[in-house]
Amino acid sequence: MNSLILTTATRFLTPLILALSVFILLRGHNEPGGGFIGGLLVAVAFALVEKAEGVEAARRAMRIEPLVLAGIGLGCCLAGGYWGGIVHGDFLRGIWPWYEEYGLPVGSILLFDLGVYLAVAGTVSAILFGLEEAGHAVAGRDD
Amino acid sequence: MPLPGGTTEMEIVLAILVGLLAASGAYMMMAGRLIAYLFGLIMISNAANIAIFAAGRLTYAEPPLVPDGEYTPMTEVANALPQALILTAIVIGFGLLSFALALVFRTYFELGTTRMDDMREAEPRNMGGNS
Amino acid sequence: MWRYLPPLLPFAAFLWFLPRVLPVARGETGEYVWSWVPGLGIDLAFWLDGLSLAFALLITGIGTICILYAGTYFAKDPRLPSLQIILLLFAFSMLGLVVADDAITFFVFWEATTITSYLLVGFDHESAKSRASALQALLVTSAGGLTLLIGLLLMGSVADTWRLSGMNAQGDLLRASPLYLWIFWLIALGAFTKSAQWPFQFWLPGAMAAPTPVSAYLHSATMVKAGVYMLARFTPALGGTDVWIWTLTLVGAFTMVQASIWALRQIDLKMMMAYTTVMALGALTMLLGQGSAMAVTAAMAFILVHAFYKAALFLGVGMIDKGAGTREYTQLGGLGRYMPITAIAIAIAALSMAGFPPMFGFIGKELIYGSLEDATWPWLIGGAALVANALMVVCAGVVAIRPFAGRRRIAPRAYTADPGWGLWIGPAILAGMGVLGGILAGRFEHFLVAPMVSAVTGSETGAHLALWHGINPALILSLVTFAIGIALYFLIDPIRKALIKADPKTPGTEDGYDWLLQALKDFAAWQTGIVQSGLMTRYLQTTFVLLGGLIWGAVYFGTPALPPLRFDLDLFEWAVVGIIVGSIVLVLLTPSRLTAIAGLGGVGGGTGVIFFLYGAIDVGMTQLFVEILVVVFITIAMVRLPRAGYIPFHRISAVIAVLFGLAITAAMLAVLGTPLDRRLTDFFEATSLAEAHGRNIVNVILVDFRALDTMGEVSVIVISGIAALAALWAGKERKA
């Protein structure tokens, strides 16, 4: 798997894909995109790193335990929900305190979508790394 | 080309395609090999997604976006509801597949086989059964 | 001193209920309602009248005593906190049961007492006997709980209300209903199982595996009285019919006599108390079956009488056990000098049990004999009551005299003395209540018994509670009872031996329970052998046959609709469909895994193109990324897993698969033949920007309109990830 071209391309592509995923997350409210798609794209980026440089490198590149990331994501979803709940009395009610100040509606819904993004990204990456490591274990046993 | 009743020919074709996908998926799942089972699972997921999509009717229309400067979509746009359903269904189906894959791994690791009918740890041959 | 904290809770409740005696005695009732399931008319409704208040006082008062007693009894046992907590939960459930006014609320609390009592009876869960007894009690009472539920639902549908008070107000309607017999039997089964009536009486002696404080609480004053409580509660709604009178009278009388005879054969004092409890429950059922004002008065007074003396005796037997190390009276003797407080408390309670004046028990017994005046079949009831009461005198004598009088026998323990105040205060108070009830009979009647009777019959008490009514038939029967009882007391040892010799095992209906349980297990094993072949492919075939069958059923019974079948597609559409079909065939036929993965990619990619083609950009993107990840995942798996090899053709599976696919196509065509309901879509299109400030309608549905769904879906994904990792890592740990 250690192809020089793949490794080099990955170094170059990964930040690009990650930036793209954030962009897709943010534009999701008005254009095609959103948390699910963005999150999957993050996982694709790390799958690329994993294929090019191995699980260890991918884990290092992520800097944070992927399941923790997923947990933070769920927390963001909950926080987005409670935000509306506390301000308006309805759980998950949309709140936009900075509507259109930044060119897109910033508020509880965006926080919720960010949660989806992080949860999907974290979970899929976690399974990916887990599968690859378990694969090594199986292979190791067969040797 | 719209047909009477708001149905297009493509929907009819997709109905048949969904049946074919589901039948193939079911057959693969019943084949008795874990890997074939996974392939079948993927095909049935795809079948389900296409089924929901076609049931919400197909149009060559614009994606369901509200254009700038308008308050509602002025022209006819694709049905947004099934799209929202499928979008999460795809991701959930993927989660299910990952879990199934992890189980397959673990099963093979523990039992050393991918033949489903050889997996009788929970229900050994001498416990009832006729085979 | 944490163990003295739990009794304070029921005590606080007791203090809350106590002052309410005054308004209730004036005929006022309290109602407390919280909305629960308004759509179905189900409320958390509570009702405080004479009957529920008296029970509430017993439950909280005796609860305080028993939980305090448990705190001392198990002082050095690490399981004490859990015991006290379950006891509190039980007390709460029982309290809810007696004050509930809504049928569903009532049932929920009824089942809660079943479950908590299961935990309590099986408290000594390391003993197999204890577990078996707990399970037996659970199975019998919860089977009755199920019939009770059906009965309550039928009652609710006939009376058109869920309020027990409302049902009671419509007694004539219920009794005239064609469903009356069903309702009666279902409710009666619930009451008979809970209150240990024949033929379900066997679980109660079995439940004596419970620790002493539990038996004192559950099996004297509270849980076993729940069935009696319910019969009393439903007397206005269901009582007074022939089937009610005869069933309750005969079952109650039979249970009463049988249990009092079986009590004589017991050596273990606690078991003897258990059988006398069954006897008391039989007497109560019999009296409620009679339903006359006299009989109900007798029943209500006897509930109080029995609760006082039986709880005191159970607790007292526990003190004997604690002090002397055994409860078998044949091994006990001469303890009176060493345990004077225990001896006195038990003696007073036993006097009440035997029905000697001036005890409350005397009044209770007089009332039972008094109710013969307007009984349906006085000879039967009078005879049964006479036998049972005489044998009660014997049992009271055994428990009060045998352990304490005579010379001291060899007891397993060298050190024998009265236990601490935490143990004796409860029995002392309860025994004292027996005395008070006799002396202050008029007050007890005014504040407790009369409101109870009026809640059951709606009228005044049938007879006044007093120690002296002049010389009347009841008094003469009492004297006869004493004479027979005292005579038999001196013959107890030969009688016991004769009874045991006649049948070494306690006869009863328990065999029927065992047979039924075994039959159930055999049936389960038989049908498991048929349904569970152990072959996973067989299971999958069954699943797909059923699923296909369900869909075919829906198509067959649904609205017939078929769109016109025409197939002139554009070339591009044909191409996409062709790619997908080709890929399917590839996956099905190829023996190569790599080709199969490529085929799957074709199917997924083609699906994605269809999404893009018909205006589903978001879905198409999702499908594309997921497809990439699926291929990555599957590749990882394929590298490690062995080759699947060539899969042999399987005819049955193929037939099932084809029928399943046809079912799906047929269902799809039926859907396409019916017009599309666009109401939701129109709503989303109209409000996406206006209310949710988003132009991408799909995304707005996901994160705003249906955000709760999405939150659930995200949780599912995270959980599936955790589960997958758990499965993977478990293998890793095993290796390491």
Side-chain angles (χ1 to χ4, degrees):
Chain A
M1 279 285 185
N2 279 332
S3 141
L4 184 64
I5 300 173
L6 188 59
T7 313
T8 318
T10 304
R11 292 263 160 80
F12 173 68
L13 273 176
T14 308
L16 216 63
I17 299 181
L18 287 179
L20 183 65
S21 79
V22 174
F23 172 68
I24 282 183
L25 163 71
L26 292 181
R27 82 198 277 263
H29 218 56
N30 290 326
E31 301 287 326
F36 278 106
I37 304 172
L40 287 171
L41 202 53
V42 173
V44 170
F46 283 100
L48 201 61
V49 179
E50 192 267 322
K51 283 290 145 211
E53 300 179 46
V55 192
E56 291 305 314
R59 271 195 191 279
R60 271 198 309 278
M62 194 156 220
R63 289 196 170 77
I64 179 170
E65 175 62 35
L67 269 188
V68 173
L69 196 67
I72 295 172
L74 272 187
C76 286
C77 287
L78 265 184
Y82 277 115
W83 189 349
I86 288 164
V87 177
H88 266 291
D90 300 324
F91 185 64
L92 285 169
R93 175 79 171 257
I95 304 286
W96 298 272
W98 303 284
Y99 181 55
E100 305 248 308
E101 277 177 38
Y102 303 96
L104 75 164
V106 178
S108 71
I109 295 300
L110 190 65
L111 185 62
F112 184 87
D113 214 4
L114 177 70
V116 174
Y117 171 85
L118 293 177
V120 170
T123 308
V124 177
S125 310
I127 302 174
L128 174 75
F129 298 162
L131 272 178
E132 188 65 51
E133 283 159 6
H136 289 317
V138 176
R141 195 187 66 149
D142 285 351
D143 285 343
Chain B
M1 255 140 275
L3 294 176
T7 308
T8 60
E9 288 110 340
M10 187 60 177
E11 285 158 13
I12 308 289
V13 173
L14 283 189
I16 296 164
L17 183 67
V18 164
L20 181 65
L21 260 176
S24 315
Y27 180 75
M28 296 287 278
M29 287 173 84
M30 287 183 282
R33 302 290 192 283
L34 281 180
I35 295 156
Y37 177 90
L38 287 177
F39 289 177
L41 194 64
I42 295 171
M43 289 211 270
I44 285 203
S45 304
N46 276 325
N49 293 335
I50 300 178
I52 301 173
F53 190 59
R57 301 302 192 274
L58 307 179
T59 42
Y60 269 123
E62 297 293 310
L65 302 170
V66 183
D68 267 339
E70 309 285 351
Y71 278 99
T72 52
M74 287 287 109
T75 52
E76 195 197 359
V77 296
N79 193 347
L81 183 61
Q83 292 195 21
L85 295 178
I86 301 164
L87 205 150
T88 48
I90 293 175
V91 184
I92 292 240
F94 179 58
L96 176 73
L97 176 74
S98 317
F99 180 55
L101 199 59
L103 284 184
V104 166
F105 246 62
R106 179 109 173 82
T107 316
Y108 174 63
F109 186 75
E110 289 287 324
L111 304 176
T113 178
T114 58
R115 284 170 187 266
M116 286 154 70
D117 284 347
D118 292 343
M119 296 172 186
R120 305 199 57 157
E121 289 281 304
E123 296 169 50
R125 228 166 266 279
N126 55 4
M127 258 182 56
N130 44 11
S131 46
Chain C
M1 291 295 99
W2 288 105
R3 60 198 162 110
Y4 294 125
L5 217 54
L8 292 179
L9 267 170
F11 189 62
F14 180 78
L15 291 181
W16 189 86
F17 281 110
L18 194 57
R20 277 158 180 77
V21 166
L22 295 172
V24 169
R26 281 197 302 269
E28 296 168 22
T29 52
E31 200 182 0
Y32 310 84
V33 179
W34 291 271
S35 186
W36 186 12
V37 192
L40 296 174
I42 297 168
D43 295 317
L44 280 173
F46 300 100
W47 173 261
L48 209 57
D49 62 359
L51 188 63
S52 46
L53 180 62
F55 268 94
L57 286 171
L58 285 180
I59 290 159
T60 52
I62 298 182
T64 310
I65 286 169
C66 289
I67 296 172
L68 175 71
Y69 184 96
T72 312
Y73 196 81
F74 285 109
K76 296 192 178 69
D77 196 314
R79 298 173 301 175
L80 173 65
S82 63
L83 177 68
Q84 285 189 321
I85 287 170
I86 305 174
L87 273 171
L88 281 178
L89 283 175
F90 171 79
F92 175 74
S93 321
M94 195 64 212
L95 196 56
L97 191 159
V98 297
V99 296
D101 187 33
D102 179 277
I104 303 299
T105 312
F106 175 80
F107 177 75
V108 169
F109 281 114
W110 177 282
E111 289 295 278
T113 64
T114 303
I115 293 163
T116 45
S117 71
Y118 168 72
L119 296 174
L120 287 169
V121 173
F123 183 70
D124 193 9
H125 57 79
E126 283 172 16
S127 134
K129 183 181 168 297
S130 173
R131 287 199 305 270
S133 301
L135 188 64
Q136 191 183 53
L138 178 75
L139 287 179
V140 173
T141 50
S142 60
L146 286 179
T147 67
L148 168 67
L149 176 63
I150 304 170
L152 288 175
L153 294 178
L154 287 180
M155 268 177 95
S157 69
V158 172
D160 199 26
T161 172
W162 290 117
R163 293 298 173 81
L164 304 186
S165 48
M167 294 172 183
N168 276 341
Q170 308 205 40
D172 292 332
L173 184 73
L174 281 163
R175 278 185 287 267
S177 158
L179 287 171
Y180 174 78
L181 270 184
W182 283 101
I183 295 174
F184 168 76
W185 280 111
L186 291 166
I187 299 275
L189 275 177
F192 289 175
T193 49
K194 196 82 163 178
S195 281
Q197 298 297 296
W198 187 88
F200 308 109
Q201 82 291 42
F202 55 86
W203 71 262
L204 181 56
M208 289 302 122
T212 293
V214 171
S215 298
Y217 193 30
L218 269 64
H219 306 130
S220 68
T222 54
M223 194 185 83
V224 293
K225 293 264 176 68
V228 172
Y229 167 81
M230 182 170 67
L231 291 177
R233 177 52 83 207
F234 282 143
T235 295
L238 302 173
T241 58
D242 282 348
V243 61
W244 171 281
I245 292 173
W246 287 111
T247 308
L248 266 55
T249 304
L250 290 177
V251 168
F254 186 72
T255 308
M256 174 170 85
V257 173
Q258 193 191 37
S260 57
I261 294 171
W262 287 348
L264 293 186
R265 51 174 293 142
Q266 303 302 322
I267 301 173
D268 184 340
L269 288 172
K270 194 175 170 190
M271 292 304 280
M272 185 180 266
M273 290 305 111
Y275 277 104
T276 57
T277 302
V278 176
M279 170 267 165
L281 296 168
L284 289 170
T285 306
M286 180 185 82
L287 291 169
L288 285 170
Q290 289 294 305
S292 65
M294 290 279 281
V296 171
T297 310
M300 296 302 121
F302 191 52
I303 285 174
L304 301 178
V305 169
H306 178 255
F308 294 151
Y309 78 68
K310 191 50 67 65
L313 288 177
F314 265 119
L315 296 175
V317 168
M319 283 151 68
I320 295 176
D321 192 12
K322 203 82 174 166
T326 180
R327 299 188 305 240
E328 298 188 356
Y329 70 86
T330 48
Q331 295 185 37
L332 291 165
L335 288 177
R337 249 171 302 154
Y338 305 95
M339 306 173 71
I341 302 177
T342 313
I344 293 169
I346 287 186
I348 295 173
L351 279 177
S352 190
M353 175 175 172
F356 282 104
M359 297 296 163
F360 201 14
F362 175 70
I363 295 172
K365 188 157 50 65
E366 292 283 283
L367 286 170
I368 295 176
Y369 287 140
S371 76
L372 292 173
E373 277 176 31
D374 44 9
T376 346
W377 206 352
W379 287 107
L380 172 90
I381 297 171
L386 187 67
V387 172
N389 279 327
L391 299 184
M392 274 317 94
V393 176
V394 180
C395 291
V398 168
V399 70
I401 302 172
R402 291 295 288 262
F404 302 106
R407 63 187 171 80
R408 188 173 177 197
R409 308 202 180 185
I410 303 157
R413 274 185 210 176
Y415 170 77
T416 316
D418 269 323
W421 68 271
L423 289 192
W424 63 254
I425 189 150
I429 291 174
L430 289 166
M433 291 300 290
V435 181
L436 278 182
I439 298 169
L440 301 175
R443 296 302 170 91
F444 269 71
E445 179 189 344
H446 178 68
F447 288 114
L448 286 173
V449 179
M452 287 167 86
V453 173
S454 95
V456 176
T457 64
S459 62
E460 306 272 303
T461 47
H464 287 294
L465 277 66
L467 284 171
W468 182 248
H469 282 293
I471 298 172
N472 56 9
L475 185 67
I476 295 165
L477 278 172
S478 274
L479 294 176
V480 175
T481 308
F482 295 145
I484 301 175
I486 292 167
L488 288 177
Y489 170 74
F490 291 104
L491 298 171
I492 178 69
D493 288 310
I495 291 175
R496 188 187 68 238
K497 281 172 189 148
L499 280 172
I500 294 175
K501 199 178 169 192
D503 191 349
K505 189 172 166 292
T506 307
T509 41
E510 192 170 5
D511 291 343
Y513 166 84
D514 289 339
W515 181 87
L516 205 66
L517 210 61
Q518 191 58 44
L520 204 64
K521 281 182 190 167
D522 291 344
F523 174 76
W526 173 76
Q527 64 101 26
T528 304
I530 289 180
V531 178
Q532 280 180 255
S533 59
L535 296 173
M536 232 187 281
T537 47
R538 193 77 58 82
Y539 295 158
L540 281 165
Q541 286 171 346
T542 314
T543 309
F544 279 114
V545 166
L546 282 177
L547 192 57
L550 280 176
I551 300 173
W552 274 119
V555 171
Y556 182 78
F557 291 110
T559 332
L562 193 68
L565 299 176
R566 278 165 51 191
F567 300 102
D568 40 345
L569 301 186
D570 292 345
L571 189 63
F572 186 68
E573 289 172 328
W574 276 126
V576 177
V577 173
I579 287 172
I580 296 181
V581 172
S583 306
I584 295 172
V585 173
L586 208 61
V587 177
L588 280 177
L589 297 184
T590 180
S592 150
R593 288 181 301 188
L594 216 57
T595 319
I597 293 175
L600 282 180
V603 174
T607 310
V609 171
I610 291 176
F611 292 145
F612 278 119
L613 204 56
Y614 296 97
I617 310 286
D618 299 86
V619 182
M621 280 159 78
T622 313
Q623 171 75 21
L624 200 69
F625 295 145
V626 162
E627 208 47 50
I628 295 173
L629 289 165
V630 164
V631 170
V632 171
F633 277 31
I634 293 276
T635 318
I636 295 175
M638 289 308 113
V639 174
R640 313 295 177 195
L641 293 175
R643 289 176 174 280
Y646 176 70
I647 298 168
F649 177 72
H650 197 286
R651 199 180 301 141
I652 297 175
S653 293
V655 171
I656 294 172
V658 167
L659 286 175
F660 176 68
L662 285 176
I664 298 226
T665 299
M668 278 294 292
L669 289 176
V671 167
L672 292 172
T674 40
L676 179 67
D677 184 344
R678 274 188 61 95
R679 276 176 298 175
L680 275 176
T681 307
D682 289 339
F683 169 79
F684 290 134
E685 283 178 4
T687 51
S688 173
L689 185 65
E691 292 186 11
H693 304 299
R695 296 182 182 279
N696 179 354
I697 301 171
V698 174
N699 195 55
V700 167
I701 294 176
L702 282 177
V703 296
D704 197 328
F705 289 128
R706 311 285 308 156
L708 192 65
D709 287 359
T710 307
M711 179 172 277
E713 280 147 4
V714 170
S715 312
V716 169
I717 292 165
V718 174
I719 290 167
S720 80
I722 293 171
L725 287 179
L728 293 171
W729 285 346
K732 205 167 72 174
E733 273 164 24
R734 182 79 54 85
K735 191 168 169 280

